[in-house]
Amino acid sequence: MDVINSAQDMLEKGMSAVKGAVSGVAVENQPFMKGFIRLCSDGWLQGWHERNGGNLTYRMTEAEVEACRPFFYDTPSSWVNMGVQADNLRGAYFATTGSGRYMRNVQLDPAYNVGIVQINDAGDSWRIVWGLRDGGKPTSEFPSHFMNHSVRVAATDGACRIIYHAHPDNVIVLTKVMPLDARTITRALWKAMTECIVVFPMGVGVVEWMVPGGADIARATSELMKTYDAAIWAQHGLFVSGPDFDTTFGLMHTIEKAAKIHCQALMVNNGSDEFMNTIEDDGLRAIAHDFNLTINEAFLD
Ligand code: 13P
Ligand code: ZN
């Protein structure tokens, strides 16, 4: 079996090299894939991706699909129904991390740890057209990524391309000790660090604890992503969205840093928020005014 697998591997690598020679830049070296790989490594270095924790999807442009098409499998996988559907993603192509595969390994072997999937004309199923070698599948959170893409594409006039899920420590800590409502948690984060309200002016949604990896959590999260570009999963982690890798990673980084500052300030103050300096609501309003931000007014007193 191992002999057959490694022979198949050699054949696929050989085919890919031949295709590359006649067809240009390999998928691994396409600029979007380099950005994808860098984000996976950066998230690992931040400590947000224990084991196979976390996942990433990127909605490809038509030009990127055409540049990668010469490297697609001659025979794609079978179609797999997602249990969710989106009209505005019919026929789309996504790069996705693999289920059970590790963010820290993505840079070592992208074609094993990452794949490209095509969505069918009905907008309810995927099939693998590149990568995820040796029987890989898209992340188990693909239904959540897919539904989040759908609502963020609609909310941003097509600008949103990335959905990123991680397990950052301090965000998870907050969900163990704070009421699980978006207003309370957003206010704590906005007041932790002055520029938070500039980075996420609509705030952060909160999904109560749910079983991960299915259509129910996908629907609950995407409902919140109509308003927010980030949503916390209680006792689990954080989903963020964005138009490019820098903005998306930056949003994850900023929310987690604000959560860390909030937690550490409470700890050095013996768990109490008495006598703590804070940014008043009028201060937040003044930032919104000077930075010309549309903020979530319902979250201010
Ligand atoms: P996957 O390995 O299927 O991507 O799952 C990791 C995870 O974080 C689930 O929420
Ligand atoms: Zn997770």
Side-chain angles (χ1 to χ4, degrees):
M1 208 44 206
D2 273 359
V3 176
I4 294 172
N5 278 344
S6 63
Q8 265 175 348
D9 248 35
M10 281 168 65
L11 194 63
E12 274 174 27
K13 280 185 182 141
M15 282 305 290
S16 164
V18 172
K19 285 178 177 178
V22 289
S23 321
V25 182
V27 174
E28 290 91 332
N29 294 324
Q30 294 284 335
F32 81 88
M33 190 55 87
K34 287 185 169 177
F36 189 105
I37 295 165
R38 181 176 172 219
L39 188 149
C40 294
S41 301
D42 285 350
W44 158 251
L45 292 173
Q46 290 293 329
W48 301 338
H49 298 295
E50 77 290 343
R51 203 174 181 277
N52 64 308
N55 25 71
L56 176 65
T57 55
Y58 170 79
R59 183 173 58 88
M60 295 165 66
T61 65
E62 278 176 28
E64 287 161 348
V65 173
E66 289 321 309
C68 293
R69 198 179 292 283
F71 303 93
F72 286 176
Y73 293 131
D74 294 331
T75 312
S77 75
S78 322
W79 292 106
V80 174
N81 187 279
M82 294 181 278
V84 290
Q85 191 274 341
D87 283 337
N88 63 352
L89 296 176
R90 293 167 187 263
Y93 286 78
F94 292 94
T96 174
T97 49
S99 184
R101 300 204 167 161
Y102 293 24
M103 290 294 215
R104 72 185 272 259
N105 292 337
V106 165
Q107 63 170 335
L108 300 177
D109 192 350
Y112 176 79
N113 295 293
V114 178
I116 295 176
V117 294
Q118 177 189 10
I119 304 301
N120 66 353
D121 290 341
D124 64 6
S125 303
W126 53 256
R127 67 177 179 179
I128 299 165
V129 297
W130 180 87
L132 290 176
R133 231 182 39 237
D134 302 343
K137 287 188 306 197
T139 169
S140 59
E141 304 296 1
F142 198 79
S144 282
H145 282 252
F146 183 76
M147 290 308 288
N148 289 340
H149 274 289
S150 175
V151 302
R152 294 312 300 165
V153 164
T156 61
D157 237 349
C160 178
R161 295 213 163 265
I162 300 165
I163 301 289
Y164 176 34
H165 168 58
H167 296 173
D169 306 21
N170 295 283
V171 167
I172 300 171
V173 169
L174 283 192
T175 68
K176 300 202 70 93
V177 297
M178 289 187 75
L180 295 176
D181 79 89
R183 190 175 191 276
T184 308
I185 291 185
T186 297
R187 285 173 63 77
L189 297 173
W190 277 352
K191 288 166 181 253
M193 217 166 54
T194 297
E195 295 194 11
C196 282
I197 196 162
V198 182
V199 180
F200 47 99
M202 294 310 291
V204 180
V206 180
V207 180
E208 63 180 14
W209 187 86
M210 289 181 77
V211 175
D216 288 345
I217 198 166
R219 286 194 202 94
T221 312
S222 62
E223 207 43 54
L224 298 179
M225 294 293 252
K226 289 177 182 167
T227 306
Y228 312 104
D229 52 13
I232 291 171
W233 280 4
Q235 286 89 261
H236 185 145
L238 179 60
F239 263 86
V240 296
S241 61
D244 55 56
F245 293 105
D246 280 349
T247 313
T248 311
F249 185 83
L251 181 57
M252 180 72 74
H253 203 186
T254 308
I255 294 171
E256 167 59 4
K257 183 166 181 180
K260 179 173 159 186
I261 288 169
H262 185 71
C263 291
Q264 290 190 352
L266 282 173
M267 279 194 289
V268 299
N269 209 29
N270 296 320
S272 157
D273 57 9
E274 252 183 89
F275 310 117
M276 260 217 265
N277 297 320
T278 188
I279 305 169
E280 302 296 344
D281 286 51
D282 281 347
L284 295 174
R285 280 196 189 86
I287 298 171
H289 176 267
D290 283 16
F291 283 68
N292 205 14
L293 303 172
T294 305
I295 61 166
N296 192 340
E297 290 283 348
F299 285 0
L300 293 181
D301 283 343

